[in-house]
Amino acid sequence: MNCFVLDVNTSFCLPKPMTKPVEHAAEILFRDFRKVFGKSPETTDSDGNASVVVRYAGQGDEIAGRPECFRISVFKNEKDDSCRMDITGSDDLGIIYALLYVSEKYLGVDRFWFWTEKEPEKRERIEIPPGVYISPSPKVRYRGWFVNDEVCLIGWTDVYPPPKEVWMPVFETLLRCGGNMVIPGTDLPRTGVHWDLALEMGLYITHHHAEPLGAEMFLRAYPDKSPSYDESKDLYEALWEDAIKKRKDEKVIWVLGFRGQGDCPFWENSPEYDTPEKRGELISRVIHRQYEILCKYVNNPPCAVYLYGEITELYRQGLINFPDGVIKIWSDNGYGEMVSRRQGNHNPRVPSLPTNKDVGPHGLYYHITFHDLQASNHLVMMPSQPEFIKNELVKAFNAGADYYLLLNCGNIRMHVYFLDLVSKIWSDGDIDTGVHMENFCKKYFSAAWEKALSCYRDYFRYAIRYGENPSDAAGDEYYHHPARMIIGHWVRGETKETAKDLLWATGELDFPEQVRFFYEKMINAVENFEKLKEKCVDTCNSLRREEAVFFKDNILFQVRFLLSGCKGFISLCKSFFEFEKGNYPLAFVYASQSMWEYGESLNVMAESEHGKWKNFYRADWLTNVKSTLYSLDTLRKYLRMHGDSPDFFIWYREYIMTEKVFSKIRTGSRYPTMNWR
């Protein structure tokens, strides 16, 4: 026999004793084995009787001492002329990655199978030629996901916080992508399983910049206390110490830092810190105190600090200092560009990369999804070109920020394309984005991959560019939050002045010109989105059922969602233009039309909630389509006060009722109140 054969007769010898992380990985592999061959493999305690032997590297082994490394050897057994497979890992993660490699490479289980409806083919036998494979070391030492703004994952289940069934496919997919680190959710109750399960599956855990050391947010623990550090120093430090003691023996990358409650600058709650010098001094003092407490319980703890938002500016001014050896995590602006993030209308665009003067190590906190109540993408893919994203990451690596990469992954399902892209980059250090996109379409849409490829290319090409900066590409929130801002100013009677909360997009324009700014952006985009929708529908009709389901739920869903928002925003702007002219009935009609067009977004979400995805979009609290519809309905009621009040019958009589019907009603003592859709 010249090949090793995987089939129903394959038997495994697993390491004894077996750690919980390796046990989880073995369960995943055996589940995949059942999918392919119809039954689980046999297990044995004797490596001499097993087809596949899984072990840890011994002293002197070539992979010993290489973190997370594995070797797979297929060779002929000289005793009986049979072939066998040896799987050797340098540590738990080495074995985990090896077992998942066997699942993907030989059993054909896709790394995103859960999210893409892609199940492996049934097989009777799989032949593997003799040879040795040793896993390469990834470009980035610590690499993983921040499951942030995870409202879809929360609303997907009736259990809160989300149970094991929600988190297991998330962590499995991360491990399949070669990740080793996770922040499982944002400010979830401590009663949840998410932290323990992540550790149990072999991942490092780390922390959000608003939750240093993994401690509970101060105002959640003490809602009636002042969040001022100076006033509540002992309470803050007790929270930090409790968090450290709970996880001191676990795999943790400890995050130090000090931001305000609710992920904002701390001085919003402490206005006495009114200069950059005062702010930098307090942040430095707090971080050094956190590190001092941590070192009481953990020897040589791996630590990181986020240079995020306002922290970047203060650090660049030389106003913050950190303990030696702490990983400095540089952050993009939420839109993939390595500059400081926009805060409201404040957008200094401070470069967010280390220089030759910045002592390492360095890492990245990077977004492929974001929530900022302005123009970010949350329910759709990032709209920036993949080549731009790749170039920003490679630029950061070349600047030395390659030791740590935490990727904001949102709710996973809608971001599969970029999660796959970045996982290749954190492993290899670079990628040809054109080849990657082609391979992605061949893998998931093989029956019409060229059509699918054209759709994906156009998605990025047609994204609305709302500004001149490289990352000024509009996501789904651009179609909703500014629209609601416009409605709010309008109904409050603030149409004679500039809307300050829209300056980030429009610049210094009068309110009517701000509305026209958005109108022109939408008008220039709607035809492209219409064309792309038709192209996506045609592609979907050319695919096999399983591929069509994922295509429809992924890019077709996203194009329809954006098109609905684009058309709804256009009608909203038309409503305002007619209102300015005093054409109140027509303004009402356009506002109604806007409601119907935005309502299509709800239809798209509902259509995507089939099978296991039931209720996936139930907790759309961030883009919040229903809030847009609520605002529009309020606007319609406001408009009816102009010319149709108090009986709310004048417009009905003038525009809908026939003369015959009107003559009958005219003899009555009162006009009926009519319900307008």
Side-chain angles (χ1 to χ4, degrees):
M1 180 184 293
N2 294 321
C3 290
F4 174 73
V5 174
L6 280 175
D7 61 14
V8 294
N9 298 313
T10 300
S11 59
F12 281 74
C13 178
L14 299 170
K16 293 287 188 291
M18 188 159 49
T19 64
K20 200 66 178 177
V22 171
E23 183 180 335
H24 272 288
E27 289 172 354
I28 290 170
L29 177 62
F30 290 0
R31 177 205 65 205
D32 296 343
F33 202 96
R34 287 193 300 275
K35 289 183 178 183
V36 173
F37 296 118
K39 64 177 293 241
S40 297
E42 299 294 329
T43 58
T44 176
D45 292 334
S46 171
D47 58 5
N49 297 326
S51 313
V52 180
V53 176
V54 183
R55 58 166 63 96
Y56 292 94
Q59 189 173 5
D61 192 298
E62 61 184 323
I63 67 169
R66 288 182 55 192
E68 304 166 12
C69 183
F70 68 86
R71 178 181 61 242
I72 296 178
S73 304
V74 175
F75 58 93
K76 182 178 289 188
N77 189 338
E78 296 180 357
K79 292 182 179 179
D80 56 12
D81 205 33
S82 65
C83 276
R84 59 181 278 177
M85 175 184 287
D86 272 6
I87 297 174
T88 307
S90 62
D91 51 26
D92 275 0
L93 274 171
I95 290 179
I96 291 167
Y97 293 147
L99 297 180
L100 296 177
Y101 178 89
V102 170
S103 170
E104 182 174 5
K105 176 74 173 178
Y106 301 128
L107 297 181
V109 178
D110 186 72
R111 57 177 56 186
F112 291 101
W113 69 269
F114 181 86
W115 312 94
T116 61
E117 316 291 344
K118 189 176 178 63
E119 293 289 347
E121 296 180 15
K122 302 287 186 183
R123 304 282 293 275
E124 290 189 2
R125 58 187 276 133
I126 297 170
E127 296 184 352
I128 303 171
V132 177
Y133 174 79
I134 298 177
S135 64
S137 297
K139 171 68 176 178
V140 179
R141 173 66 184 94
Y142 295 117
R143 54 210 178 272
W145 293 348
F146 179 11
V147 189
N148 185 30
D149 297 324
E150 67 284 9
V151 293
C152 293
L153 300 180
I154 290 171
W156 191 19
T157 171
D158 293 331
V159 179
Y160 183 78
K164 181 178 180 179
E165 291 73 22
V166 169
W167 289 111
M168 285 196 71
V170 174
F171 300 152
E172 176 187 330
T173 306
L174 173 56
L175 288 165
R176 286 183 177 276
C177 288
N180 62 3
M181 170 180 70
V182 71
I183 303 177
T186 313
D187 192 28
L188 291 173
R190 294 306 196 252
T191 56
V193 301
H194 42 292
W195 292 104
D196 291 335
L197 183 62
L199 290 162
E200 199 175 277
M201 292 184 71
L203 293 162
Y204 288 87
I205 58 172
T206 189
H207 310 123
H208 184 215
H209 51 246
E211 299 175 294
L213 299 169
E216 190 170 13
M217 283 191 183
F218 183 86
L219 280 182
R220 189 173 295 282
Y222 302 106
D224 299 326
K225 299 288 186 181
S226 166
S228 165
Y229 178 72
D230 292 330
E231 294 179 29
S232 305
K233 179 174 179 290
D234 291 343
L235 295 178
Y236 268 107
E237 294 188 2
L239 286 175
W240 299 335
E241 192 158 9
D242 287 345
I244 292 167
K245 288 191 287 188
K246 182 175 181 179
R247 299 292 183 194
K248 63 185 179 64
D249 299 318
E250 308 284 9
K251 290 170 56 174
V252 181
I253 301 162
W254 302 91
V255 167
L256 313 174
F258 191 63
R259 296 199 82 211
Q261 303 301 293
D263 194 14
C264 63
F266 76 85
W267 50 84
E268 291 189 9
N269 298 115
S270 301
E272 67 272 20
Y273 286 89
D274 53 1
T275 68
E277 290 76 14
K278 291 179 183 178
R279 295 165 179 174
E281 187 279 329
L282 179 62
I283 293 171
S284 299
R285 176 158 43 98
V286 168
I287 286 175
H288 280 271
R289 179 58 181 150
Q290 290 170 345
Y291 187 72
E292 180 182 0
I293 297 171
L294 178 60
C295 288
K296 284 171 49 181
Y297 297 96
V298 183
N299 291 325
N300 300 316
C303 292
V305 62
Y306 292 92
L307 300 176
Y308 187 69
E310 71 282 351
I311 307 295
T312 307
E313 296 178 58
L314 294 170
Y315 176 78
R316 282 295 187 208
Q317 295 170 41
L319 300 176
I320 300 179
N321 62 82
F322 307 118
D324 293 340
V326 170
I327 306 166
K328 299 177 187 68
I329 304 172
W330 302 81
S331 306
D332 74 300
N333 63 344
Y335 294 77
E337 190 173 0
M338 293 307 300
V339 295
S340 60
R341 67 167 288 192
R342 181 173 59 231
Q343 301 271 10
N345 295 319
H346 182 56
N347 192 18
R349 292 178 54 79
V350 176
S352 184
L353 283 175
T355 67
N356 294 335
K357 298 178 181 179
D358 296 306
V359 178
H362 300 283
L364 299 175
Y365 171 38
Y366 199 79
H367 296 76
I368 51 139
T369 175
F370 191 46
H371 168 61
D372 68 349
L373 300 98
Q374 292 183 335
S376 49
N377 69 296
H378 174 65
L379 297 177
V380 304
M381 285 188 291
M382 172 172 275
S384 293
Q385 288 283 353
E387 185 70 8
F388 169 74
I389 301 303
K390 186 280 293 272
N391 289 341
E392 288 296 292
L393 287 171
V394 171
K395 179 174 69 176
F397 291 167
N398 291 339
D402 62 354
Y403 194 69
Y404 175 113
L405 200 171
L406 183 69
L407 185 67
N408 193 316
C409 67
N411 295 282
I412 318 297
R413 186 186 181 196
M414 55 286 284
H415 307 299
V416 165
Y417 173 79
F418 274 111
L419 292 176
D420 189 55
L421 179 77
V422 175
S423 74
K424 300 292 200 306
I425 296 173
W426 74 28
S427 293
D428 301 336
D430 203 344
I431 197 171
D432 184 318
T433 56
V435 171
H436 173 264
M437 186 181 290
E438 184 174 316
N439 290 338
F440 182 89
C441 291
K442 285 178 177 177
K443 177 164 62 169
Y444 294 112
F445 315 115
S446 59
W449 70 266
E450 289 173 305
K451 287 184 176 182
L453 179 62
S454 179
C455 293
Y456 274 82
R457 285 173 175 166
D458 284 351
Y459 174 88
F460 301 109
R461 189 157 61 96
Y462 291 159
I464 289 179
R465 307 289 312 179
Y466 64 86
E468 300 300 322
N469 298 311
S471 58
D472 289 346
D476 50 287
E477 295 199 347
Y478 186 74
Y479 302 83
H480 291 267
H481 289 284
R484 299 201 291 267
M485 293 171 188
I486 286 171
I487 293 169
H489 285 279
W490 183 356
V491 172
R492 291 191 300 268
E494 299 168 357
T495 60
K496 302 302 182 184
E497 55 197 65
T498 298
K500 299 298 184 183
D501 50 2
L502 293 174
L503 291 177
W504 60 270
T506 67
E508 288 285 353
L509 299 174
D510 291 339
F511 183 76
E513 289 306 307
Q514 289 181 302
V515 177
R516 186 160 294 280
F517 172 90
F518 285 100
Y519 175 75
E520 290 174 354
K521 291 294 180 185
M522 301 296 159
I523 281 291
N524 291 333
V526 68
E527 185 177 346
N528 284 335
F529 282 140
E530 289 276 20
K531 288 190 300 185
L532 181 52
K533 174 190 169 184
E534 294 307 312
K535 183 185 287 190
C536 287
V537 169
D538 175 65
T539 302
C540 197
N541 291 335
S542 303
L543 294 170
R544 295 190 296 270
R545 183 186 178 281
E546 294 79 7
E547 293 183 340
V549 170
F550 174 50
F551 189 87
K552 182 180 179 182
D553 288 346
N554 187 252
I555 190 167
L556 178 53
F557 165 92
Q558 297 178 31
V559 171
R560 289 176 65 194
F561 193 93
L562 296 178
L563 176 60
S564 166
C566 192
K567 292 169 73 174
F569 212 143
I570 288 170
S571 293
L572 169 63
C573 294
K574 286 182 176 179
S575 178
F576 179 76
F577 300 151
E578 295 303 325
F579 176 84
E580 279 194 299
K581 299 175 197 174
N583 294 337
Y584 304 125
L586 189 52
F588 177 89
V589 169
Y590 277 128
S592 298
Q593 186 172 324
S594 180
M595 275 192 75
W596 304 333
E597 287 160 344
Y598 273 115
E600 172 65 8
S601 293
L602 292 182
N603 296 335
V604 174
M605 289 191 282
E607 289 176 22
S608 188
E609 292 183 317
H610 51 80
K612 70 186 180 188
W613 302 114
K614 183 180 179 182
N615 294 326
F616 190 75
Y617 294 104
R618 174 169 56 177
D620 169 35
W621 301 325
L622 302 185
T623 300
N624 208 331
V625 177
K626 290 182 179 178
S627 183
T628 304
L629 296 176
Y630 175 86
S631 299
L632 281 163
D633 198 35
T634 301
L635 174 63
R636 294 196 317 160
K637 293 170 182 175
Y638 169 77
L639 290 172
R640 287 199 70 187
M641 297 294 172
H642 295 73
D644 201 27
S645 174
D647 295 307
F648 302 104
F649 180 66
I650 301 168
W651 291 355
Y652 184 84
R653 180 188 65 190
E654 186 170 353
Y655 299 107
I656 296 177
M657 184 180 297
T658 66
E659 179 61 29
K660 183 177 181 181
V661 173
F662 175 66
S663 64
K664 291 182 180 180
I665 295 178
R666 186 166 44 190
T667 59
S669 60
R670 305 183 54 176
Y671 292 148
T673 299
M674 309 308 296
N675 291 320
W676 287 70
R677 181 180 172 189

